[in-house]
Amino acid sequence: MPLKTFLAAACALVIAAPVHADIVILDSYARSSGPMAKAGAAFMVIENTGAEDDRLIAVASDKAKRVELHTHKEMGDGIMKMMEVEEGFAVPAGGMHHLARGGDHVMFMGLTSPMVQDETFTLTLTFEQAGEIVVSIPVDLDRKPMHGMGAAPSN
Ligand SMILES: [Cu+2]
């Protein structure tokens, strides 16, 4: 998709997105592999519209016993492994950081309730500069990897 098209779609989503300091959370959603799943993940685009670099350093939610910032790493033998990123995710001034399937994500381990299609839950993101930002994350189990960015919501 051309960048322009993506940006236009992303901007359309800004309207409902919470704004705090210079960080904007776009196009967030969460999923798990099914009603019996004990774990899930959330994805979003973090935009820093300010003039200062920022960093997502912590996440918290009642949705799971443990919530962590994760990434996928290629282990050298074609195997992708998930691991916690203790230093968090940098979001440069005027830039974006994408949390997406197969890459960086917010990990929920030990779900306190199943992720049900179209339900929302609260996630608190803590940034070094912008502080705490509380977002409402919709569950979208149907969303296809790599396809959702900028596309119309599938629900
Ligand atoms: Cu993970």
Side-chain angles (χ1 to χ4, degrees):
M1 179 187 309
L3 181 63
K4 244 183 171 172
T5 311
F6 166 66
L7 288 176
C11 289
L13 289 159
V14 173
I15 298 159
V19 180
H20 185 288
D22 297 316
I23 295 290
V24 185
I25 306 299
L26 303 169
D27 202 15
S28 62
Y29 74 103
R31 68 183 308 280
S32 66
S33 57
M36 303 301 286
K38 292 277 182 284
F43 313 95
M44 67 200 72
V45 178
I46 302 164
E47 183 178 9
N48 183 352
T49 58
E52 218 179 330
D53 293 347
D54 209 341
R55 179 179 287 272
L56 174 59
I57 48 172
V59 277
S61 176
D62 291 339
K63 191 66 181 171
K65 293 194 185 96
R66 283 173 66 195
V67 189
E68 294 179 355
L69 296 169
H70 267 203
T71 194
H72 282 91
K73 272 221 168 75
E74 161 77 58
M75 298 314 282
D77 42 11
I79 295 169
M80 298 294 283
K81 203 181 165 210
M82 283 201 306
M83 54 188 65
E84 187 177 8
V85 183
E86 305 232 358
E87 71 275 21
F89 305 133
V91 192
M96 291 183 181
H97 187 87
H98 291 247
L99 306 190
R101 308 263 286 268
D104 298 340
H105 56 280
V106 178
M107 188 81 199
F108 300 85
M109 284 166 293
L111 291 177
T112 50
S113 62
M115 288 190 176
V116 176
Q117 180 69 28
D118 297 331
E119 274 189 9
T120 60
F121 63 89
T122 300
L123 176 68
T124 302
L125 306 166
T126 304
F127 290 85
E128 234 166 40
Q129 305 296 332
E132 282 192 3
I133 297 179
V134 179
V135 287
S136 181
I137 308 275
V139 174
D140 189 347
L141 305 174
D142 300 330
R143 183 106 154 217
K144 300 287 182 289
M146 309 308 291
H147 201 74
M149 284 198 310
S154 57
N155 44 3

